[in-house]
């Protein structure tokens, strides 16, 4: 007589499937980042309109998923504000000699909320500041090998030293929820 076997909760296959599901859920939970409100009490307080007003310089690098540095760059920035509306000009010079320019048009909505637009940004960037931190999220139309990819950026900026005016920026790049790499920047305001 032929019988059909069913998976029981103690079968190795079921335990393996359950462990795989648990591992996937833990991995997804590990991808969640803290909210910007986590940093509300942190000092020095980041006043974005004051920090991005006038000239700044930043030095940065792009690392791929493995952590290898694949590109280094310097950025000269110039910010100016007229009330709640601001313009931030970014001029990039890469280690291979290539250059790039991005001009952000920013709006301060109050309560630490900001939006921004740039020619290579898809739709609108949204930001929230609290304490010494700003979280800035947007989609960038990024040219790669003759094609344009829409890549999501999750940018975190932290004012480290108000006297020396140093801010650090770490951005995670992803597509379809898959982490592609990170951009790290150190800003200095003269």
């Amino acid at each position: 007589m032929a019988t059909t076997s069913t998976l029981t909760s103690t079968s190795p296959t079921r335990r393996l499937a359950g462990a795989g599901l648990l591992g996937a859920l833990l991995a997804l939970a590990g991808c969640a980042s803290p909210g910007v409100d986590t940093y509300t009490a942190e000092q020095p307080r980041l006043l974005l309109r004051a920090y991005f007003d006038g000239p700044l310089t930043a030095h940065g690098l792009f690392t791929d998923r493995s952590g290898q540095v694949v590109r280094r760059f310097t950025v000269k920035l110039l910010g100016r504000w007229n009330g709640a509306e601001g313009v931030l000009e970014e001029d990039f010079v890469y280690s291979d000699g290539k250059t790039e320019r991005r001009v952000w048009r920013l709006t301060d909505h109050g309560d630490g909320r900001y939006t921004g637009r740039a020619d290579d940004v898809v739709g609108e960037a949204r930001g929230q500041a609290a304490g010494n931190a700003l979280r800035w999220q947007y989609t960038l139309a990024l040219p790669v090998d003759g094609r344009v990819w829409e890549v999501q950026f999750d940018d975190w900026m932290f004012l480290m030293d108000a006297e020396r005016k140093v801010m650090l920026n770490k951005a995670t790049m992803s597509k379809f929820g898959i982490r592609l790499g990170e951009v790290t920047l150190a800003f200095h305001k003269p």
Side-chain angles (χ1 to χ4, degrees):
M1 172 167 157
T3 62
T4 59
S5 65
T6 59
L7 295 176
T8 65
S9 62
T10 58
S11 76
T13 305
R14 183 139 207 159
R15 280 186 296 218
L16 186 58
L21 178 61
L22 179 61
L25 291 173
L26 289 174
L28 285 173
C31 293
S33 58
V36 74
D37 290 339
T38 303
Y39 304 102
T40 299
E42 294 295 321
Q43 296 292 325
R45 186 165 176 234
L46 174 58
L47 302 171
L48 198 69
R49 285 171 49 183
Y51 192 83
F52 284 122
D53 188 35
L56 294 105
T57 301
H59 296 87
L61 50 87
F62 171 71
T63 54
D64 64 15
R65 283 184 287 207
S66 71
Q68 179 179 346
V69 176
V70 294
R71 205 160 195 205
R72 294 175 291 117
F73 55 91
T74 300
V75 189
K76 297 289 184 185
L77 302 99
L78 180 61
R80 56 191 180 280
W81 291 84
N82 184 9
E85 302 298 318
V87 174
L88 181 64
E89 300 174 16
E90 300 177 323
D91 290 298
F92 295 80
V93 177
Y94 293 93
S95 54
D96 60 6
K98 292 183 180 175
T99 61
E100 183 179 5
R101 181 173 175 80
R102 177 171 302 116
V103 177
W104 285 97
R105 291 165 302 284
L106 305 170
T107 303
D108 179 350
H109 297 278
D111 296 327
R113 294 176 301 113
Y114 297 87
T115 56
R117 294 189 177 275
D119 289 343
D120 56 352
V121 171
V122 178
E124 188 173 68
R126 296 190 178 277
Q128 179 72 42
N132 73 331
L134 170 75
R135 185 177 191 186
W136 189 242
Q137 296 176 296
Y138 57 97
T139 299
L140 187 68
L142 187 66
V144 177
D145 298 328
R147 295 178 58 195
V148 176
W149 292 62
E150 291 187 2
V151 178
Q152 287 70 49
F153 275 76
D154 187 9
D155 250 327
W156 283 89
M157 298 178 194
F158 297 92
L159 184 59
M160 303 300 290
D161 186 325
E163 184 179 324
R164 292 190 180 94
K165 301 176 184 171
V166 174
M167 184 166 62
L168 298 180
N169 180 191
K170 188 172 188 175
T172 302
M173 289 178 33
S174 62
K175 179 140 180 87
F176 305 122
I178 299 170
R179 188 178 150 279
L180 302 174
E182 292 182 350
V183 178
T184 306
L185 289 146
F187 290 90
H188 180 265
K189 186 176 173 76

